CSV table of all heavy atoms in Angstrom, one decimal:
chain,number,residue,atom,x,y,z
A,1438,THR,N,48.8,52.7,-59.9
A,1438,THR,CA,49.4,51.5,-60.4
A,1438,THR,C,49.9,51.7,-61.9
A,1438,THR,O,50.9,51.1,-62.2
A,1438,THR,CB,48.3,50.3,-60.4
A,1438,THR,OG1,47.2,50.8,-61.1
A,1438,THR,CG2,48.0,49.9,-59.0
A,1439,GLU,N,49.2,52.5,-62.6
A,1439,GLU,CA,49.7,52.8,-64.0
A,1439,GLU,C,51.1,53.5,-64.0
A,1439,GLU,O,52.0,53.1,-64.7
A,1439,GLU,CB,48.7,53.6,-64.8
A,1439,GLU,CG,47.5,52.9,-65.2
A,1439,GLU,CD,47.8,51.7,-66.2
A,1439,GLU,OE1,48.2,52.0,-67.3
A,1439,GLU,OE2,47.6,50.6,-65.7
A,1440,ARG,N,51.2,54.4,-63.1
A,1440,ARG,CA,52.4,55.1,-62.9
A,1440,ARG,C,53.5,54.1,-62.5
A,1440,ARG,O,54.6,54.2,-63.0
A,1440,ARG,CB,52.2,56.2,-61.8
A,1440,ARG,CG,53.5,57.0,-61.4
A,1440,ARG,CD,53.1,58.0,-60.3
A,1440,ARG,NE,54.3,58.1,-59.4
A,1440,ARG,CZ,55.3,58.9,-59.6
A,1440,ARG,NH1,55.4,59.6,-60.7
A,1440,ARG,NH2,56.3,58.9,-58.7
A,1441,ALA,N,53.2,53.3,-61.5
A,1441,ALA,CA,54.2,52.3,-61.1
A,1441,ALA,C,54.6,51.3,-62.2
A,1441,ALA,O,55.8,51.0,-62.4
A,1441,ALA,CB,53.6,51.5,-59.9
A,1442,ARG,N,53.6,50.9,-63.0
A,1442,ARG,CA,53.9,50.0,-64.1
A,1442,ARG,C,54.8,50.7,-65.2
A,1442,ARG,O,55.5,50.0,-65.9
A,1442,ARG,CB,52.6,49.5,-64.8
A,1442,ARG,CG,51.8,48.5,-63.9
A,1442,ARG,CD,50.6,47.9,-64.7
A,1442,ARG,NE,49.5,47.7,-63.9
A,1442,ARG,CZ,49.3,46.6,-63.1
A,1442,ARG,NH1,50.2,45.6,-63.1
A,1442,ARG,NH2,48.2,46.4,-62.4
A,1443,ARG,N,54.6,52.0,-65.3
A,1443,ARG,CA,55.5,52.7,-66.2
A,1443,ARG,C,56.9,52.9,-65.7
A,1443,ARG,O,57.8,53.5,-66.4
A,1443,ARG,CB,54.9,54.1,-66.5
A,1443,ARG,CG,53.6,54.1,-67.4
A,1443,ARG,CD,53.3,55.5,-67.9
A,1443,ARG,NE,53.1,56.5,-66.8
A,1443,ARG,CZ,51.9,56.8,-66.3
A,1443,ARG,NH1,50.8,56.2,-66.6
A,1443,ARG,NH2,51.9,57.7,-65.3
A,1444,GLY,N,57.1,52.5,-64.5
A,1444,GLY,CA,58.5,52.6,-63.9
A,1444,GLY,C,58.7,53.9,-63.3
A,1444,GLY,O,59.9,54.3,-63.1
A,1445,GLU,N,57.7,54.7,-63.0
A,1445,GLU,CA,57.8,56.0,-62.5
A,1445,GLU,C,57.8,56.1,-60.9
A,1445,GLU,O,57.9,57.1,-60.3
A,1445,GLU,CB,56.8,56.9,-63.1
A,1445,GLU,CG,57.0,57.1,-64.6
A,1445,GLU,CD,55.8,57.9,-65.2
A,1445,GLU,OE1,55.1,58.5,-64.5
A,1445,GLU,OE2,55.7,57.7,-66.4
A,1446,GLY,N,57.7,54.9,-60.3
A,1446,GLY,CA,57.8,54.8,-58.9
A,1446,GLY,C,56.5,54.8,-58.1
A,1446,GLY,O,55.4,54.8,-58.6
A,1447,PRO,N,56.7,54.9,-56.8
A,1447,PRO,CA,55.5,54.7,-55.9
A,1447,PRO,C,54.7,56.0,-55.7
A,1447,PRO,O,55.1,57.1,-56.1
A,1447,PRO,CB,56.2,54.4,-54.5
A,1447,PRO,CG,57.5,55.0,-54.6
A,1447,PRO,CD,58.0,55.0,-56.1
A,1448,THR,N,53.5,55.7,-55.2
A,1448,THR,CA,52.5,56.8,-54.9
A,1448,THR,C,52.0,56.5,-53.5
A,1448,THR,O,51.9,55.3,-53.1
A,1448,THR,CB,51.3,56.8,-55.8
A,1448,THR,OG1,51.8,57.0,-57.2
A,1448,THR,CG2,50.3,57.9,-55.5
A,1449,LEU,N,51.8,57.5,-52.7
A,1449,LEU,CA,51.1,57.4,-51.4
A,1449,LEU,C,49.7,57.8,-51.5
A,1449,LEU,O,49.4,59.0,-51.8
A,1449,LEU,CB,51.9,58.2,-50.3
A,1449,LEU,CG,51.2,58.3,-49.0
A,1449,LEU,CD1,51.0,56.9,-48.3
A,1449,LEU,CD2,52.0,59.1,-48.0
A,1450,ILE,N,48.7,56.9,-51.3
A,1450,ILE,CA,47.3,57.3,-51.4
A,1450,ILE,C,46.8,57.2,-49.9
A,1450,ILE,O,47.1,56.3,-49.2
A,1450,ILE,CB,46.5,56.2,-52.2
A,1450,ILE,CG1,47.0,56.3,-53.7
A,1450,ILE,CG2,45.0,56.5,-52.1
A,1450,ILE,CD1,46.3,55.2,-54.5
A,1451,GLU,N,46.1,58.3,-49.5
A,1451,GLU,CA,45.5,58.3,-48.2
A,1451,GLU,C,44.0,58.3,-48.4
A,1451,GLU,O,43.4,59.2,-49.0
A,1451,GLU,CB,45.9,59.5,-47.4
A,1451,GLU,CG,45.1,59.5,-46.1
A,1451,GLU,CD,45.3,60.8,-45.3
A,1451,GLU,OE1,46.0,61.7,-45.8
A,1451,GLU,OE2,44.8,60.9,-44.2
A,1452,ALA,N,43.3,57.2,-48.0
A,1452,ALA,CA,41.9,57.1,-48.2
A,1452,ALA,C,41.2,57.3,-46.8
A,1452,ALA,O,41.5,56.5,-45.9
A,1452,ALA,CB,41.5,55.7,-48.8
A,1453,LYS,N,40.5,58.3,-46.7
A,1453,LYS,CA,39.8,58.6,-45.4
A,1453,LYS,C,38.6,57.7,-45.3
A,1453,LYS,O,37.7,57.7,-46.1
A,1453,LYS,CB,39.4,60.1,-45.4
A,1453,LYS,CG,40.4,61.1,-45.7
A,1453,LYS,CD,41.1,61.6,-44.5
A,1453,LYS,CE,41.9,62.9,-45.0
A,1453,LYS,NZ,42.9,63.3,-43.9
A,1454,THR,N,38.6,57.0,-44.2
A,1454,THR,CA,37.5,56.1,-44.0
A,1454,THR,C,37.2,56.0,-42.5
A,1454,THR,O,37.7,56.8,-41.7
A,1454,THR,CB,37.7,54.7,-44.6
A,1454,THR,OG1,36.6,53.8,-44.5
A,1454,THR,CG2,39.0,54.0,-44.1
A,1455,TYR,N,36.5,54.9,-42.1
A,1455,TYR,CA,36.1,54.8,-40.7
A,1455,TYR,C,35.7,53.4,-40.4
A,1455,TYR,O,35.0,52.7,-41.1
A,1455,TYR,CB,34.8,55.7,-40.4
A,1455,TYR,CG,34.5,56.0,-39.0
A,1455,TYR,CD1,35.2,57.0,-38.3
A,1455,TYR,CD2,33.6,55.3,-38.3
A,1455,TYR,CE1,35.0,57.3,-37.0
A,1455,TYR,CE2,33.3,55.6,-36.9
A,1455,TYR,CZ,34.0,56.6,-36.3
A,1455,TYR,OH,33.7,56.9,-35.0
A,1456,ARG,N,36.2,52.9,-39.3
A,1456,ARG,CA,35.8,51.5,-38.9
A,1456,ARG,C,34.6,51.7,-37.9
A,1456,ARG,O,34.7,52.3,-36.9
A,1456,ARG,CB,36.9,50.7,-38.2
A,1456,ARG,CG,37.5,51.3,-37.0
A,1456,ARG,CD,38.4,50.2,-36.3
A,1456,ARG,NE,39.5,50.8,-35.5
A,1456,ARG,CZ,39.3,51.3,-34.3
A,1456,ARG,NH1,38.1,51.4,-33.7
A,1456,ARG,NH2,40.3,51.8,-33.6
A,1457,TRP,N,33.6,51.0,-38.3
A,1457,TRP,CA,32.3,51.1,-37.6
A,1457,TRP,C,32.5,50.4,-36.2
A,1457,TRP,O,31.9,50.8,-35.2
A,1457,TRP,CB,31.1,50.5,-38.3
A,1457,TRP,CG,30.7,51.3,-39.5
A,1457,TRP,CD1,31.3,52.4,-40.1
A,1457,TRP,CD2,29.6,51.0,-40.4
A,1457,TRP,NE1,30.7,52.8,-41.2
A,1457,TRP,CE2,29.6,52.0,-41.4
A,1457,TRP,CE3,28.6,50.1,-40.3
A,1457,TRP,CZ2,28.6,52.1,-42.3
A,1457,TRP,CZ3,27.6,50.1,-41.3
A,1457,TRP,CH2,27.6,51.1,-42.3
A,1458,LYS,N,33.2,49.3,-36.2
A,1458,LYS,CA,33.4,48.5,-35.0
A,1458,LYS,C,34.5,49.1,-34.2
A,1458,LYS,O,35.3,49.9,-34.7
A,1458,LYS,CB,33.6,47.0,-35.3
A,1458,LYS,CG,32.6,46.4,-36.3
A,1458,LYS,CD,31.4,45.9,-35.5
A,1458,LYS,CE,30.4,45.3,-36.5
A,1458,LYS,NZ,29.2,44.9,-35.8
A,1459,GLY,N,34.7,48.5,-33.0
A,1459,GLY,CA,35.9,48.8,-32.2
A,1459,GLY,C,37.2,48.3,-32.8
A,1459,GLY,O,37.2,47.6,-33.9
A,1460,HIS,N,38.3,48.6,-32.2
A,1460,HIS,CA,39.6,48.1,-32.7
A,1460,HIS,C,39.6,46.6,-32.8
A,1460,HIS,O,40.0,46.1,-33.9
A,1460,HIS,CB,40.7,48.6,-31.8
A,1460,HIS,CG,42.0,47.9,-32.0
A,1460,HIS,ND1,42.8,48.1,-33.2
A,1460,HIS,CD2,42.6,46.9,-31.3
A,1460,HIS,CE1,43.8,47.3,-33.1
A,1460,HIS,NE2,43.7,46.6,-32.0
A,1461,SER,N,39.3,46.0,-31.7
A,1461,SER,CA,39.2,44.5,-31.8
A,1461,SER,C,38.0,44.1,-30.9
A,1461,SER,O,37.2,45.0,-30.6
A,1461,SER,CB,40.5,43.9,-31.2
A,1461,SER,OG,40.7,44.3,-29.9
Side-chain angles (χ1 to χ4, degrees):
Chain A
T1438 53
E1439 285 300 293
R1440 177 182 144 83
R1442 287 185 216 278
R1443 289 193 303 267
E1445 294 170 21
T1448 301
L1449 172 59
I1450 297 173
E1451 177 189 4
K1453 310 266 193 193
T1454 183
Y1455 197 81
R1456 62 166 153 78
W1457 290 7
K1458 307 275 183 187
H1460 163 72
S1461 63

